[in-house]
Amino acid sequence: MGTQTKIVVIKGKEIIYTAIFLLLGICLIILLVNMFGSEKKIKTETTGKYIPGVYSSTITLGENTLNVSVAVDKDTISGVTIENLNETVTTMYPLLEPALNEINNQISVVDNVDEISYSKENQYTYIILNQAIKNALEQAKKNP
């Protein structure tokens, strides 16, 4: 009862193919972990008051329709602009541009749009712009 030595012959091609398949399998596992693990990072990055972007709302003054665009970062409002503003509108509503400039000056200081102060003589212009800004900010909160 002697034990006989067994000789196993492995070809070089088989070793190379096995090593390549092992490397591909490891790369596939790493790729899958990174793909599904990155969702948690994206969700934590978007936790803020707003989803960054530019949102718009429309206001109608007489026969003219103006777009009020609000640019927001994660937690702050960057600025407010009015599009489609032409000479006719500025002539008919001369308080519109100064009110918008005053809102832009105060928007970086206050946390809420309702905290913006305005004078009694321009209150209706501020109310219209304030409501348009609020409508745009609602889109910034709901938009996925």
Side-chain angles (χ1 to χ4, degrees):
M1 266 214 184
T3 58
Q4 294 181 346
T5 306
K6 294 184 181 181
I7 298 174
V8 179
V9 178
I10 301 175
K11 295 182 181 179
K13 286 183 182 179
E14 292 176 5
I15 294 174
I16 293 173
Y17 289 145
T18 304
I20 289 174
F21 283 125
L22 276 172
L23 285 173
L24 286 175
I26 291 170
C27 289
L28 181 65
I29 290 171
I30 291 172
L31 178 69
L32 289 173
V33 167
N34 283 337
M35 282 177 48
F36 294 113
S38 66
E39 283 185 33
K40 294 176 184 174
K41 293 177 186 174
I42 291 172
K43 288 180 182 176
T44 57
E45 288 174 3
T46 58
T47 56
K49 287 171 86 173
Y50 309 112
I51 298 170
V54 178
Y55 301 91
S56 64
S57 177
T58 59
I59 55 173
T60 304
L61 298 174
E63 297 175 0
N64 300 307
T65 302
L66 305 174
N67 290 332
V68 177
S69 297
V70 180
V72 295
D73 295 332
K74 281 188 342 184
D75 294 319
T76 59
I77 302 169
S78 303
V80 180
T81 58
I82 296 179
E83 299 170 3
N84 304 339
L85 189 63
N86 57 27
E87 211 172 293
T88 307
V89 175
T90 56
T91 304
M92 294 297 292
Y93 304 97
L95 300 176
L96 194 61
E97 283 186 288
L100 181 67
N101 292 336
E102 186 61 32
I103 287 173
N104 276 322
N105 290 339
Q106 293 183 31
I107 204 81
S108 60
V109 179
V110 297
D111 290 332
N112 191 352
V113 179
D114 292 326
E115 295 174 5
I116 295 175
S117 62
Y118 53 87
S119 63
K120 292 289 184 186
E121 58 193 33
N122 298 346
Q123 69 180 350
Y124 297 113
T125 306
Y126 281 102
I127 290 171
I128 290 171
L129 289 174
N130 196 356
Q131 188 59 46
I133 292 169
K134 285 180 184 178
N135 291 343
L137 290 177
E138 283 299 317
Q139 293 174 1
K141 291 177 185 175
K142 291 181 183 177
N143 197 4

